[in-house]
Each structure stands twice: as C-alpha cells, then as structure tokens.
Amino acid sequence: MKNYLFWITVFLYLVSGGWVKADNWTLSVGGGAIVHETPWKDMPVQYAVLPYIDAEYGRWHFGMQSGIFQYRLSDEQWPVALSAGLDYRDEGYDSMFNFNDDLSDDPVFDGYHAPDGEVAARLDMNWQHLSATVSQDVSDKSKGTSASLLYMYPVYQGNRGVQVKLGGGFRWLSDKYADYLYGINGDNINPAQGRFAYQADAATNYQASVQLIYPFAAQWAVNAQLTHERLDDSIKQSPLVDVTSTTQFMLFVTYRKF
C-alpha cells in the first residue's frame, strides 16, 4: 500500500509541475477518505485518507476505478463503452487494502497464511446507468473469476450538476475464487484454532448503493458513495467469517485540472 501511495504522489507532482501536457490528457485529482467493514472475524473497521486520481490519455485510462490500467475498445460514438485492462485483486485477510496496522485478534487467524493478491485481466462495460465488470486471475494464484453488475439511477438532478443516484446489483465469485479467499485447506487446517477444513462454493453477493455528486465550483466536486453488500451463504459459513454483510463509505473531493 505504501508503494501505491508513493507512485500516486509522484504522478500528482509531475502533473502539478506541468510535466504532463494538458492537450493530451483528461485529468481529475484530489483526495478523500474510505471507511469499510471486512467480513473477517473480529476485524477492526478499516479506514484511510487517500489521494485521488482519474486520468485518460487517448484510449488509455488510469486511476482508482481502473485497476492498473484500462484501454478503451469501443469508439466514443458507440452507445456501449467497452474497455479492457489489468487489475490487482487482493480481497483476502491481511489484504494490502486493509489500511489499518491492527488485524483481527480472533485465535482463528493464529498461524493462518492469508492468500496472496493477484493480477487479473479485466473487462468493463458501461451502458447508460448500467455497468458490468468481469475479471479473471492471470497470475496463477486462484485461477478464479469474479463479475459484477450494477445499476445506478439518478433520482435527483439539480441545475448545477448535483446528482443523487440510487441503485444496486450483485457481485459473483466463482468457486475457485471464493474458495481461495474463504476456504480452509492444506496447512491452514488447524482444528485447535477453529480452522476446520472448509471448501467454499461459488458465491453471489447482493449490493445496494447511494451516491451523491455535488459540484460546488467550476472545477471542484464532492463525490460520496455508501454501499451495503449482503454476503452469500457460502461466505458466511466459512470459519473465518462472522458477519452477514459489509458496508463501505467513500468521500472524495476532486479538482478537474484539464
């Protein structure tokens, strides 16, 4: 996580210093906070203050919503926007995206070897208010697939660009990916610590979300989003998990530089 923040900071420095030419880029920068719950037993709520960047250069897209990178496959006049690229998935216990230094005190994690993060090929689709993402491990870790479908409808649109969106969808994990994150096998089996052998099946988590976009100046905006995710039984039954749902809140202030 520290390396990620370092390179983001370097990029923002180069941009602010004029090293990146405005006529070649579409760029928004800023910062904000993320607070989110994890499914793990006795895990503290995670929180962090992070820089924000969303950059587009021709068909290339970089930023917090784009994984490592995305390349636009569709032409701009197409009604459906398609893009493909690489992402870094790390949803396991002791993930690099668990921002706190403190992890769970539950004995079930004593001696537990958490799954590694993995590089995944990613395909994104956006059509009007509908978005979908499919990602597949290409780093020979889980060899699993995940997919999501989300519909966000603007229930309020103000004259100054203020929007309130409500929606929901689902996130699907293949049996290989779900078992990689929540299963217990091999050296991780330790009944004395409560880690009994467990094989997770494919899982479907349902989501509900509300988003606020508030432009308060010509180039400044606040973007806040609250997402609640209900976990599939295959995840809830894992000896590593003690919740039925998780919640995430994000708040970012952004400046559209060019």
Side-chain angles (χ1 to χ4, degrees):
M1 189 64 194
K2 292 180 180 178
N3 289 337
Y4 170 80
L5 294 177
F6 171 76
W7 288 113
I8 288 291
T9 304
V10 169
F11 187 86
L12 292 176
Y13 172 78
L14 294 176
V15 169
S16 61
W19 289 82
V20 179
K21 295 182 179 179
D23 56 352
N24 294 330
W25 290 82
T26 300
L27 179 67
S28 295
V29 296
I34 297 177
V35 180
H36 74 99
E37 299 172 323
T38 71
W40 314 113
K41 280 188 174 181
D42 198 27
M43 188 73 152
V45 172
Q46 302 296 304
Y47 56 88
V49 177
L50 295 172
Y52 175 90
I53 182 170
D54 186 70
E56 188 170 354
Y57 180 83
R59 289 177 177 262
W60 297 94
H61 203 158
F62 311 90
M64 293 185 66
Q65 304 300 318
S66 304
I68 300 172
F69 69 84
Q70 288 281 296
Y71 181 80
R72 191 178 73 250
L73 302 173
S74 58
D75 292 329
E76 292 184 351
Q77 63 268 27
W78 287 19
V80 177
L82 293 173
S83 60
L86 289 179
D87 197 3
Y88 184 73
R89 293 193 311 199
D90 192 3
E91 299 185 77
Y93 178 76
D94 199 15
S95 162
M96 68 172 289
F97 301 114
N98 289 339
F99 307 117
N100 300 1
D101 293 332
D102 295 333
L103 297 177
S104 173
D105 292 327
D106 195 286
V108 75
F109 294 107
D110 290 346
Y112 173 71
H113 300 291
D116 296 328
E118 53 190 12
V119 177
R122 173 172 153 179
L123 180 66
D124 286 77
M125 182 278 291
N126 289 276
W127 178 67
Q128 296 184 3
H129 310 305
L130 187 69
S131 62
T133 299
V134 178
S135 64
Q136 169 66 44
D137 173 42
V138 294
S139 55
D140 201 30
K141 301 289 187 181
S142 71
K143 301 180 181 179
T145 307
S146 64
S148 64
L149 185 70
L150 182 65
Y151 183 82
M152 294 294 292
Y153 185 78
V155 295
Y156 174 80
Q157 298 189 71
N159 295 330
R160 297 180 56 189
V162 178
Q163 291 189 63
V164 176
K165 297 181 180 181
L166 292 176
F170 67 86
R171 196 164 65 96
W172 175 80
L173 287 68
S174 70
D175 54 355
K176 289 182 179 179
Y177 189 48
D179 192 54
Y180 185 69
L181 298 178
Y182 304 104
I184 299 176
N185 49 65
D187 293 340
N188 271 331
I189 298 175
N190 188 342
Q193 299 294 338
R195 290 200 306 272
F196 298 92
Y198 180 72
Q199 182 174 353
D201 296 324
T204 301
N205 297 342
Y206 293 95
Q207 299 176 327
S209 188
V210 56
Q211 182 181 19
L212 168 67
I213 302 172
Y214 179 66
F216 59 90
Q219 294 172 284
W220 291 90
V222 172
N223 192 321
Q225 185 163 344
L226 180 69
T227 300
H228 184 75
E229 183 170 12
R230 185 168 182 82
L231 303 179
D232 187 278
D233 287 343
S234 176
I235 296 174
K236 291 187 292 185
Q237 292 169 4
S238 169
L240 307 175
V241 173
D242 67 349
V243 298
T244 60
S245 61
T246 61
T247 302
Q248 176 179 273
F249 176 72
M250 298 187 298
L251 175 67
F252 284 93
V253 178
T254 60
Y255 173 75
R256 187 175 179 86
K257 187 174 176 67
F258 43 75

